Amino acid sequence: MPNLSELIQQLLERWGLNEFPSWARILEAMDPVAWTLAILLAGAVVLGLFFSLSTRRAFLTPDDTESSPQMLLARLKQDPTRLSPVAILSRLGAEATLELLEYGDQIQTKEWRYQWSGVREDLLRLLGQQNAFGPTYALARYYASDDTQEPDTIRIRRTALVHKLGRRCYLEPNADGRPAQLRIRCHAAEVQGDVGFDGEIFWLMPDEPAPPSDGPLIEMDPIEFRSLSDAELHLHIRRTPMVGGGFRLELQKRNKMWVVVNEDVEWVS
């Protein structure tokens, strides 16, 4: 019985494969068209290898969408516009976003504040739209109002100030160096306390005459409670007699913590 090698040899002879021409004969028989096709095939192979290797290296290099949350947070601290606010919150989560918010409010360079302002507003809006405990707790800590033992009115006013002024609760003096003042219009029964403002504070009754001010001015109206867990607060900020704005903030009490859920601009000058 013939062995396997003999069977293979017989098959090659039957099909004529044992008469495959040598490389020298193949090269001699090639015409210009064949050479062109061979060159194109070789070029395609080279390009395929090049793009395969370059694409692989790109995937192995950490970028904005593939890096770890810690690396992404470090990059966002250098440039907060690197990703959209939606992508930032999705990639970082509430806790790391809180760290970014706290960091961003501390940087006072003009370039950073120009980039940071819009990103911060969108991040606060996105966090306020989420009713889960994690985002709510992160927001309450950012607003420095997570102590549920404090009176609601104090926490609401502090939340509004941080929301509009940032974590420092500070408004720059005017061109003459006059410091900012905060006027709080409140009801007689409202508890007065530390609302976190970095500057002089006046607690006034709704109809009480206000002392004169020659610097930037922040005015807060009495809090309007629509229910035990819904409140509205009007806030006016005047950086100069000609430059300022009026805002209406809607707040909700979630898990015993107050957060801003909506903001409307009433007027601007």
PDB file of all heavy atoms in Angstrom, residues 102-119:
ATOM      1  N   GLU A 102     -14.866  72.262  42.533  1.00  0.00           N
ATOM      2  CA  GLU A 102     -14.166  72.928  43.630  1.00  0.00           C
ATOM      3  C   GLU A 102     -12.831  73.493  43.163  1.00  0.00           C
ATOM      4  O   GLU A 102     -12.430  74.594  43.565  1.00  0.00           O
ATOM      5  CB  GLU A 102     -13.962  71.941  44.778  1.00  0.00           C
ATOM      6  CG  GLU A 102     -15.263  71.525  45.456  1.00  0.00           C
ATOM      7  CD  GLU A 102     -15.052  70.455  46.502  1.00  0.00           C
ATOM      8  OE1 GLU A 102     -14.008  69.758  46.428  1.00  0.00           O
ATOM      9  OE2 GLU A 102     -15.907  70.306  47.392  1.00  0.00           O
ATOM     10  N   TYR A 103     -12.144  72.744  42.313  1.00  0.00           N
ATOM     11  CA  TYR A 103     -10.861  73.226  41.790  1.00  0.00           C
ATOM     12  C   TYR A 103     -11.063  74.436  40.884  1.00  0.00           C
ATOM     13  O   TYR A 103     -10.352  75.441  40.988  1.00  0.00           O
ATOM     14  CB  TYR A 103     -10.164  72.103  41.024  1.00  0.00           C
ATOM     15  CG  TYR A 103      -8.921  72.552  40.286  1.00  0.00           C
ATOM     16  CD1 TYR A 103      -7.692  72.614  40.932  1.00  0.00           C
ATOM     17  CD2 TYR A 103      -8.987  72.919  38.941  1.00  0.00           C
ATOM     18  CE1 TYR A 103      -6.557  73.034  40.258  1.00  0.00           C
ATOM     19  CE2 TYR A 103      -7.854  73.343  38.265  1.00  0.00           C
ATOM     20  CZ  TYR A 103      -6.643  73.396  38.927  1.00  0.00           C
ATOM     21  OH  TYR A 103      -5.523  73.820  38.255  1.00  0.00           O
ATOM     22  N   GLY A 104     -12.047  74.337  39.987  1.00  0.00           N
ATOM     23  CA  GLY A 104     -12.257  75.403  39.016  1.00  0.00           C
ATOM     24  C   GLY A 104     -12.584  76.737  39.645  1.00  0.00           C
ATOM     25  O   GLY A 104     -12.181  77.789  39.137  1.00  0.00           O
ATOM     26  N   ASP A 105     -13.302  76.723  40.770  1.00  0.00           N
ATOM     27  CA  ASP A 105     -13.676  77.976  41.424  1.00  0.00           C
ATOM     28  C   ASP A 105     -12.499  78.653  42.114  1.00  0.00           C
ATOM     29  O   ASP A 105     -12.589  79.838  42.473  1.00  0.00           O
ATOM     30  CB  ASP A 105     -14.786  77.720  42.448  1.00  0.00           C
ATOM     31  CG  ASP A 105     -16.131  77.474  41.783  1.00  0.00           C
ATOM     32  OD1 ASP A 105     -16.221  77.628  40.557  1.00  0.00           O
ATOM     33  OD2 ASP A 105     -17.089  77.119  42.495  1.00  0.00           O
ATOM     34  N   GLN A 106     -11.413  77.919  42.323  1.00  0.00           N
ATOM     35  CA  GLN A 106     -10.264  78.508  43.013  1.00  0.00           C
ATOM     36  C   GLN A 106      -9.327  79.251  42.063  1.00  0.00           C
ATOM     37  O   GLN A 106      -8.568  80.118  42.497  1.00  0.00           O
ATOM     38  CB  GLN A 106      -9.471  77.408  43.746  1.00  0.00           C
ATOM     39  CG  GLN A 106     -10.285  76.630  44.763  1.00  0.00           C
ATOM     40  CD  GLN A 106     -10.898  77.522  45.823  1.00  0.00           C
ATOM     41  OE1 GLN A 106     -10.248  78.428  46.347  1.00  0.00           O
ATOM     42  NE2 GLN A 106     -12.164  77.267  46.147  1.00  0.00           N
ATOM     43  N   ILE A 107      -9.367  78.918  40.779  1.00  0.00           N
ATOM     44  CA  ILE A 107      -8.463  79.542  39.813  1.00  0.00           C
ATOM     45  C   ILE A 107      -9.052  80.882  39.385  1.00  0.00           C
ATOM     46  O   ILE A 107     -10.210  80.959  38.969  1.00  0.00           O
ATOM     47  CB  ILE A 107      -8.249  78.628  38.589  1.00  0.00           C
ATOM     48  CG1 ILE A 107      -7.829  77.230  39.049  1.00  0.00           C
ATOM     49  CG2 ILE A 107      -7.208  79.229  37.662  1.00  0.00           C
ATOM     50  CD1 ILE A 107      -6.569  77.201  39.866  1.00  0.00           C
ATOM     51  N   GLN A 108      -8.237  81.928  39.456  1.00  0.00           N
ATOM     52  CA  GLN A 108      -8.745  83.276  39.219  1.00  0.00           C
ATOM     53  C   GLN A 108      -8.141  83.959  37.994  1.00  0.00           C
ATOM     54  O   GLN A 108      -8.391  85.140  37.774  1.00  0.00           O
ATOM     55  CB  GLN A 108      -8.479  84.144  40.462  1.00  0.00           C
ATOM     56  CG  GLN A 108      -9.200  83.666  41.711  1.00  0.00           C
ATOM     57  CD  GLN A 108     -10.707  83.629  41.516  1.00  0.00           C
ATOM     58  OE1 GLN A 108     -11.320  84.615  41.112  1.00  0.00           O
ATOM     59  NE2 GLN A 108     -11.311  82.483  41.787  1.00  0.00           N
ATOM     60  N   THR A 109      -7.343  83.258  37.204  1.00  0.00           N
ATOM     61  CA  THR A 109      -6.791  83.887  36.008  1.00  0.00           C
ATOM     62  C   THR A 109      -7.911  84.175  35.006  1.00  0.00           C
ATOM     63  O   THR A 109      -8.900  83.434  34.929  1.00  0.00           O
ATOM     64  CB  THR A 109      -5.734  82.982  35.352  1.00  0.00           C
ATOM     65  OG1 THR A 109      -6.348  81.745  34.954  1.00  0.00           O
ATOM     66  CG2 THR A 109      -4.604  82.690  36.333  1.00  0.00           C
ATOM     67  N   LYS A 110      -7.752  85.229  34.236  1.00  0.00           N
ATOM     68  CA  LYS A 110      -8.798  85.629  33.298  1.00  0.00           C
ATOM     69  C   LYS A 110      -9.034  84.563  32.233  1.00  0.00           C
ATOM     70  O   LYS A 110     -10.183  84.298  31.859  1.00  0.00           O
ATOM     71  CB  LYS A 110      -8.419  86.956  32.638  1.00  0.00           C
ATOM     72  CG  LYS A 110      -8.453  88.145  33.585  1.00  0.00           C
ATOM     73  CD  LYS A 110      -8.156  89.436  32.848  1.00  0.00           C
ATOM     74  CE  LYS A 110      -8.227  90.635  33.797  1.00  0.00           C
ATOM     75  NZ  LYS A 110      -7.937  91.907  33.085  1.00  0.00           N
ATOM     76  N   GLU A 111      -7.964  83.966  31.733  1.00  0.00           N
ATOM     77  CA  GLU A 111      -8.123  82.940  30.698  1.00  0.00           C
ATOM     78  C   GLU A 111      -8.915  81.748  31.223  1.00  0.00           C
ATOM     79  O   GLU A 111      -9.816  81.238  30.553  1.00  0.00           O
ATOM     80  CB  GLU A 111      -6.746  82.483  30.211  1.00  0.00           C
ATOM     81  CG  GLU A 111      -6.814  81.425  29.118  1.00  0.00           C
ATOM     82  CD  GLU A 111      -5.439  80.970  28.663  1.00  0.00           C
ATOM     83  OE1 GLU A 111      -4.436  81.469  29.221  1.00  0.00           O
ATOM     84  OE2 GLU A 111      -5.366  80.119  27.767  1.00  0.00           O
ATOM     85  N   TRP A 112      -8.582  81.307  32.442  1.00  0.00           N
ATOM     86  CA  TRP A 112      -9.300  80.169  33.020  1.00  0.00           C
ATOM     87  C   TRP A 112     -10.767  80.510  33.263  1.00  0.00           C
ATOM     88  O   TRP A 112     -11.658  79.726  32.936  1.00  0.00           O
ATOM     89  CB  TRP A 112      -8.638  79.740  34.321  1.00  0.00           C
ATOM     90  CG  TRP A 112      -9.442  78.708  35.062  1.00  0.00           C
ATOM     91  CD1 TRP A 112     -10.372  78.932  36.034  1.00  0.00           C
ATOM     92  CD2 TRP A 112      -9.423  77.291  34.847  1.00  0.00           C
ATOM     93  NE1 TRP A 112     -10.927  77.746  36.458  1.00  0.00           N
ATOM     94  CE2 TRP A 112     -10.368  76.731  35.747  1.00  0.00           C
ATOM     95  CE3 TRP A 112      -8.702  76.451  33.999  1.00  0.00           C
ATOM     96  CZ2 TRP A 112     -10.597  75.357  35.812  1.00  0.00           C
ATOM     97  CZ3 TRP A 112      -8.938  75.088  34.062  1.00  0.00           C
ATOM     98  CH2 TRP A 112      -9.871  74.553  34.959  1.00  0.00           C
ATOM     99  N   ARG A 113     -11.033  81.660  33.834  1.00  0.00           N
ATOM    100  CA  ARG A 113     -12.407  82.026  34.155  1.00  0.00           C
ATOM    101  C   ARG A 113     -13.247  82.172  32.893  1.00  0.00           C
ATOM    102  O   ARG A 113     -14.447  81.866  32.896  1.00  0.00           O
ATOM    103  CB  ARG A 113     -12.418  83.323  34.967  1.00  0.00           C
ATOM    104  CG  ARG A 113     -11.814  83.165  36.352  1.00  0.00           C
ATOM    105  CD  ARG A 113     -11.731  84.473  37.096  1.00  0.00           C
ATOM    106  NE  ARG A 113     -13.041  85.019  37.375  1.00  0.00           N
ATOM    107  CZ  ARG A 113     -13.246  86.168  38.010  1.00  0.00           C
ATOM    108  NH1 ARG A 113     -12.216  86.886  38.420  1.00  0.00           N
ATOM    109  NH2 ARG A 113     -14.457  86.603  38.229  1.00  0.00           N
ATOM    110  N   TYR A 114     -12.633  82.622  31.812  1.00  0.00           N
ATOM    111  CA  TYR A 114     -13.354  82.728  30.544  1.00  0.00           C
ATOM    112  C   TYR A 114     -13.768  81.344  30.050  1.00  0.00           C
ATOM    113  O   TYR A 114     -14.892  81.152  29.563  1.00  0.00           O
ATOM    114  CB  TYR A 114     -12.469  83.427  29.512  1.00  0.00           C
ATOM    115  CG  TYR A 114     -13.078  83.504  28.136  1.00  0.00           C
ATOM    116  CD1 TYR A 114     -14.069  84.442  27.845  1.00  0.00           C
ATOM    117  CD2 TYR A 114     -12.665  82.631  27.128  1.00  0.00           C
ATOM    118  CE1 TYR A 114     -14.635  84.505  26.578  1.00  0.00           C
ATOM    119  CE2 TYR A 114     -13.229  82.690  25.866  1.00  0.00           C
ATOM    120  CZ  TYR A 114     -14.210  83.631  25.594  1.00  0.00           C
ATOM    121  OH  TYR A 114     -14.773  83.679  24.345  1.00  0.00           O
ATOM    122  N   GLN A 115     -12.875  80.368  30.178  1.00  0.00           N
ATOM    123  CA  GLN A 115     -13.188  79.005  29.750  1.00  0.00           C
ATOM    124  C   GLN A 115     -14.106  78.302  30.742  1.00  0.00           C
ATOM    125  O   GLN A 115     -14.981  77.527  30.358  1.00  0.00           O
ATOM    126  CB  GLN A 115     -11.895  78.198  29.589  1.00  0.00           C
ATOM    127  CG  GLN A 115     -10.972  78.683  28.491  1.00  0.00           C
ATOM    128  CD  GLN A 115      -9.690  77.870  28.431  1.00  0.00           C
ATOM    129  OE1 GLN A 115      -9.145  77.454  29.450  1.00  0.00           O
ATOM    130  NE2 GLN A 115      -9.209  77.630  27.229  1.00  0.00           N
ATOM    131  N   TRP A 116     -13.912  78.578  32.025  1.00  0.00           N
ATOM    132  CA  TRP A 116     -14.570  77.817  33.072  1.00  0.00           C
ATOM    133  C   TRP A 116     -16.026  78.210  33.271  1.00  0.00           C
ATOM    134  O   TRP A 116     -16.864  77.378  33.632  1.00  0.00           O
ATOM    135  CB  TRP A 116     -13.795  77.996  34.374  1.00  0.00           C
ATOM    136  CG  TRP A 116     -14.413  77.383  35.588  1.00  0.00           C
ATOM    137  CD1 TRP A 116     -14.834  78.020  36.719  1.00  0.00           C
ATOM    138  CD2 TRP A 116     -14.677  75.992  35.816  1.00  0.00           C
ATOM    139  NE1 TRP A 116     -15.336  77.134  37.626  1.00  0.00           N
ATOM    140  CE2 TRP A 116     -15.258  75.874  37.094  1.00  0.00           C
ATOM    141  CE3 TRP A 116     -14.490  74.842  35.051  1.00  0.00           C
ATOM    142  CZ2 TRP A 116     -15.642  74.654  37.628  1.00  0.00           C
ATOM    143  CZ3 TRP A 116     -14.880  73.620  35.582  1.00  0.00           C
ATOM    144  CH2 TRP A 116     -15.443  73.536  36.852  1.00  0.00           C
ATOM    145  N   SER A 117     -16.376  79.449  33.044  1.00  0.00           N
ATOM    146  CA  SER A 117     -17.709  79.950  33.379  1.00  0.00           C
ATOM    147  C   SER A 117     -18.819  79.127  32.732  1.00  0.00           C
ATOM    148  O   SER A 117     -19.736  78.647  33.407  1.00  0.00           O
ATOM    149  CB  SER A 117     -17.828  81.420  32.970  1.00  0.00           C
ATOM    150  OG  SER A 117     -19.131  81.902  33.218  1.00  0.00           O
ATOM    151  N   GLY A 118     -18.755  78.947  31.429  1.00  0.00           N
ATOM    152  CA  GLY A 118     -19.804  78.204  30.735  1.00  0.00           C
ATOM    153  C   GLY A 118     -19.822  76.733  31.107  1.00  0.00           C
ATOM    154  O   GLY A 118     -20.896  76.130  31.252  1.00  0.00           O
ATOM    155  N   VAL A 119     -18.632  76.135  31.259  1.00  0.00           N
ATOM    156  CA  VAL A 119     -18.557  74.722  31.646  1.00  0.00           C
ATOM    157  C   VAL A 119     -19.179  74.521  33.021  1.00  0.00           C
ATOM    158  O   VAL A 119     -19.949  73.579  33.250  1.00  0.00           O
ATOM    159  CB  VAL A 119     -17.092  74.246  31.636  1.00  0.00           C
ATOM    160  CG1 VAL A 119     -16.987  72.817  32.155  1.00  0.00           C
ATOM    161  CG2 VAL A 119     -16.510  74.340  30.231  1.00  0.00           C
TER     162      VAL A 119
END
